[in-house]
Amino acid sequence: MKNLLLASFIMMTCSICAQSATGYFDKAMKKAEAGNTKGAIADYTKAISMNSKFVEAYQNRGVAKFKLNDLKGAQADFSKTIELDSMNADAFTGRANVNYKLQNYQGTIEDCTSSLGLNPKDYIAYNLRGLAYNKIGDKKNSCKDFTKAIELGSQSAIKNKATFCK
């Protein structure tokens, strides 16, 4: 009986630990939706500390850090997401956004190209890559990407094409 109680206690403890990372992730999501970005980052960090391979937690924390302009932190989180899941197009687009803000236009182009290889309908990546091409003076590819982004439904690409492709 004593062993049975001990086994039950150990199983419950393990079960609580296994759910904790997900629990913190869920709390972080709610905080992010409510606009509590710093609180969300803290909970994503707790989830990651309990599960170091929690891809979605790294990615969402990267988004939250980007919102707070913690560009190096966001870049690290998006890079970790890509390391854990190299097929995650959104992580490449997220890191491309960081690279663009850091004025690393070649890195932006490379990450957008990787993203588009995984998700060819990502108009955000086309628009962002168009902006990066524009920054390095490649008007032809810039306008081509704005056109593709427009075909896929991007409203900002319409403005960008009107501005940069005269």
Side-chain angles (χ1 to χ4, degrees), residues 8-159:
S8 294
F9 177 74
I10 291 171
M11 286 174 47
M12 284 182 8
T13 303
C14 290
S15 157
I16 290 168
C17 289
Q19 293 172 1
S20 291
T22 304
Y24 278 114
F25 179 82
D26 292 343
K27 283 176 25 178
M29 293 281 289
K30 288 179 180 146
K31 287 179 181 178
E33 288 171 18
N36 180 0
T37 307
K38 287 182 181 179
I41 289 170
D43 283 343
Y44 288 132
T45 301
K46 288 175 186 171
I48 290 165
S49 73
M50 294 178 175
N51 178 358
S52 63
K53 296 185 187 309
F54 203 150
V55 174
E56 295 86 357
Y58 282 107
Q59 181 166 338
N60 288 11
R61 189 174 70 175
V63 170
K65 286 180 178 180
F66 185 79
K67 283 183 182 175
L68 293 181
N69 211 34
D70 175 4
L71 300 179
K72 293 294 184 184
Q75 187 175 47
D77 281 345
F78 289 128
S79 293
K80 185 65 176 182
T81 302
I82 292 164
E83 176 188 318
L84 294 171
D85 179 10
S86 62
M87 302 301 285
N88 189 323
D90 292 338
F92 281 105
T93 303
R95 192 170 70 180
N97 267 305
V98 173
N99 281 326
Y100 187 82
K101 272 194 123 176
L102 292 171
Q103 299 179 357
N104 175 3
Y105 304 120
Q106 194 57 46
T108 302
I109 292 165
E110 290 167 9
D111 280 341
C112 286
T113 301
S114 294
S115 176
L116 291 166
L118 298 167
N119 178 11
K121 295 185 180 200
D122 184 353
Y123 63 80
I124 294 169
Y126 277 110
N127 188 49
L128 186 57
R129 190 173 71 175
L131 288 169
Y133 276 132
N134 180 65
K135 288 288 190 180
I136 64 169
D138 186 343
K139 187 174 180 175
K140 179 184 172 196
N141 279 319
S142 177
C143 297
K144 185 175 152 187
D145 276 353
F146 292 144
T147 300
K148 184 65 176 177
I150 292 166
E151 286 173 21
L152 294 170
S154 173
Q155 296 302 304
S156 19
I158 295 169
K159 295 173 191 163

